[in-house]
Amino acid sequence: MASLIEKEQSWRANETIRGLVPYLLFFIVLFLLNQRVDYVRTNLTKTADGLETRTMYLRQVGADFCVGDMVRFRSANRRSGTYSEVIAKENSVFSLTDTGYQIDEKTEPMTAEWLVKARLEMGENETLTVPAEYVLFTNSEFDTTRKSKFWAFEIVHRENVTDRVSHILFSRDLSRIGAKVGKADPTCRR
């Protein structure tokens, strides 16, 4: 019968175990930090705009965020959670153009179907100002055939933003591991 010291020495020499230990320790740390840090995996074939398929992301629960960050928010209108990029912060002016929308001085082209739905959602307003403590999301995955994707834009209270996707945790392209997610300004303070 082998002693514990002999078993430990054989495990230390085993290359498979030595290769798995860092990953196991990382997931144990994630488990211990369960309330603040988690991960999210994307589908093999489709995912939200701004995320890649077949990828695992680091998700920071309850973290602060900036414009350009990829976040998950709870929609008051649809009662569902959606991953999307934060488009505008409080006091930003949102208006529709002939080909898309404009936020402050920045314009973004959108599809004709999206424009029709956006005009319905705007009502008689020509511009909307994002109120204090709110952020704006636009639906870049607009689809008239799916009820969950049939919305043009939404102004959401900051409390309804549940978490932020911050880094790539695992990818088939190993050089992408650790890369930041989103297009937030590097000078933004979280």
Side-chain angles (χ1 to χ4, degrees):
M1 179 176 212
S3 70
L4 288 176
I5 294 173
E6 291 172 341
K7 287 183 181 179
E8 188 268 334
Q9 287 175 345
S10 70
W11 287 352
R12 190 179 297 179
N14 188 328
E15 288 186 27
T16 304
I17 292 175
R18 285 184 17 205
L20 290 176
V21 165
Y23 289 107
L24 291 174
L25 289 176
F26 179 73
F27 283 110
I28 288 170
V29 168
L30 281 181
F31 179 75
L32 293 174
L33 299 172
N34 188 13
Q35 296 303 314
R36 305 297 334 151
V37 178
D38 201 358
Y39 69 93
V40 62
R41 292 181 309 192
T42 57
N43 194 314
L44 296 175
T45 57
K46 61 183 178 182
T47 188
D49 278 354
L51 299 178
E52 301 169 9
T53 58
R54 301 178 181 184
T55 305
M56 185 182 292
Y57 292 94
L58 185 64
R59 182 178 71 156
Q60 297 181 355
V61 179
D64 202 10
F65 56 91
C66 297
V67 173
D69 282 339
M70 181 62 73
V71 298
R72 183 170 193 247
F73 70 94
R74 288 187 312 262
S75 171
N77 300 333
R78 294 177 310 282
R79 299 182 186 216
S80 64
T82 304
Y83 284 97
S84 185
E85 179 184 339
V86 178
I87 301 298
K89 61 182 179 179
E90 57 191 36
N91 299 324
S92 296
V93 178
F94 174 78
S95 61
L96 297 177
T97 64
D98 292 337
T99 59
Y101 65 88
Q102 180 174 347
I103 296 176
D104 297 327
E105 299 299 320
K106 180 184 170 195
T107 59
E108 188 71 30
M110 298 299 276
T111 64
E113 294 87 10
W114 183 91
L115 274 169
V116 170
K117 179 68 174 168
R119 283 191 172 85
L120 287 173
E121 291 178 9
M122 285 285 279
E124 296 180 11
N125 300 322
E126 289 189 26
T127 64
L128 290 176
T129 302
V130 180
E133 295 297 316
Y134 283 79
V135 291
L136 174 77
F137 296 95
T138 59
N139 186 4
S140 59
E141 301 174 347
F142 183 79
D143 188 356
T144 58
T145 61
R146 294 179 54 203
K147 187 176 181 182
S148 64
K149 301 291 183 185
F150 190 59
W151 59 280
F153 65 90
E154 187 168 353
I155 297 175
V156 176
H157 197 278
R158 291 181 75 89
E159 290 179 351
N160 289 341
V161 177
T162 58
D163 47 67
R164 174 173 62 98
V165 177
S166 62
H167 293 84
I168 294 176
L169 191 58
F170 186 76
S171 174
R172 292 174 60 118
D173 179 5
L174 298 179
S175 66
R176 302 267 303 135
I177 294 175
K180 290 185 178 182
V181 177
K183 301 177 227 168
D185 184 9
T187 61
C188 177
R189 300 180 80 192
R190 293 184 179 86

